[in-house]
Amino acid sequence: DFHAPATVFVITDFVGQDRFFPWDLEFQRQGKINLSKEDTSMSWDELSLLVRDGWEIGSHTQSHPFLTEIPLSQAEKEISESKRILEDTLGIRVTSFCYPAGYANLQLALLTEACGYECAVISFTSLRRPNGDISPEHGEYTINRISIYRGDGMLKYFAKTIGLWEVLQSSALWTGVGVKILAQLRSVSQWISTNKITRITRKTYEA
């Protein structure tokens, strides 16, 4: 209704496999979410419907490895083959790429460009894991993204969407104050997620 653009980044090995993603299984193990049949990976027919309805389809590799932790030749196969499979199967041009978990480095950014993509998204909060020589100056192949998860509470969601969450995460790396603020936000966020007032508000909004 709002004609907002959206991109679905696809892991090609998972398409049509009728299985859950590993990270969702971990969230369920932690009690953050409850998985159902609807949470399994999409089929090619479902992706074709998205294409028909105007969604952009981007690549998220073939098998979702952390690209900074595998040989560059293997990373090239993951990046290029997933693009080819999506284009051949869906009959579209794939121009955008999402680095698994947001982990990348300069070599991978240049490789993504060489494989024919026009842009790629990264998570700079992932600098807690070594990302190598990479920064916003590397252009369209290091567009920052913010991860929103089903287990996030409303306060955490709000903090992420206004940019506060990344600031707090950066603070948490260097000061005890940042750690305490993050812990407090998580606590309040979890309370809001389970509170009856929140559920009533959601029902009112949906009505």
Side-chain angles (χ1 to χ4, degrees):
D1 290 343
F2 295 98
H3 304 287
T7 303
V8 174
F9 292 103
V10 178
I11 307 168
T12 54
D13 283 357
F14 279 79
V15 179
Q17 294 301 305
D18 196 31
R19 58 175 171 166
F20 298 113
F21 294 112
W23 48 91
D24 282 341
L25 291 172
E26 177 61 20
F27 284 145
Q28 179 171 255
R29 186 190 68 78
Q30 295 173 7
K32 295 181 178 179
I33 61 174
N34 292 311
L35 295 173
S36 66
K37 178 70 174 178
E38 294 180 350
D39 297 309
T40 56
S41 52
M42 300 179 72
S43 67
W44 288 111
D45 286 342
E46 289 171 323
L47 288 172
S48 295
L49 289 176
L50 291 183
V51 172
R52 184 199 67 183
D53 291 340
W55 290 61
E56 180 190 5
I57 303 298
S59 168
H60 201 31
T61 71
Q62 286 183 281
S63 61
H64 202 267
F66 293 161
L67 296 176
T68 54
E69 300 177 5
I70 62 176
L72 197 61
S73 59
Q74 185 181 343
E76 181 179 10
K77 182 176 183 295
E78 288 277 347
I79 295 168
S80 62
E81 279 299 295
S82 57
K83 185 178 191 295
R84 181 192 64 78
I85 291 169
L86 288 169
E87 292 181 334
D88 290 350
T89 306
L90 297 174
I92 60 173
R93 183 166 173 258
V94 174
T95 61
S96 56
F97 180 75
C98 178
Y99 304 99
Y103 304 147
N105 53 36
L106 179 57
Q107 284 183 306
L108 290 168
L110 295 173
L111 180 59
T112 301
E113 181 178 12
C115 287
Y117 293 93
E118 296 180 359
C119 64
V121 294
I122 190 171
S123 174
F124 282 100
T125 57
S126 293
L127 287 172
R128 286 174 296 171
R129 295 173 67 98
N131 261 11
D133 179 20
I134 199 160
S135 66
E137 285 74 27
H138 293 313
E140 298 300 315
Y141 297 91
T142 53
I143 299 173
N144 195 21
R145 68 182 174 110
I146 301 172
S147 300
I148 304 293
Y149 299 106
R150 290 175 56 185
D152 289 347
M154 292 184 67
L155 187 60
K156 188 175 180 179
Y157 169 79
F158 178 73
K160 285 184 174 183
T161 55
I162 65 172
L164 177 61
W165 193 252
E166 288 186 327
V167 174
L168 291 174
Q169 281 193 311
S170 298
S171 299
L173 298 179
W174 304 106
T175 69
V177 174
V179 174
K180 291 179 181 179
I181 294 174
L182 278 174
Q184 188 64 30
L185 267 178
R186 289 193 181 102
S187 177
V188 174
S189 179
Q190 290 171 358
W191 181 87
I192 292 176
S193 297
T194 56
N195 192 275
K196 183 182 293 186
I197 295 175
T198 302
R199 293 196 294 271
I200 292 173
T201 302
R202 285 174 177 166
K203 289 180 180 179
T204 302
Y205 176 77
E206 291 169 357

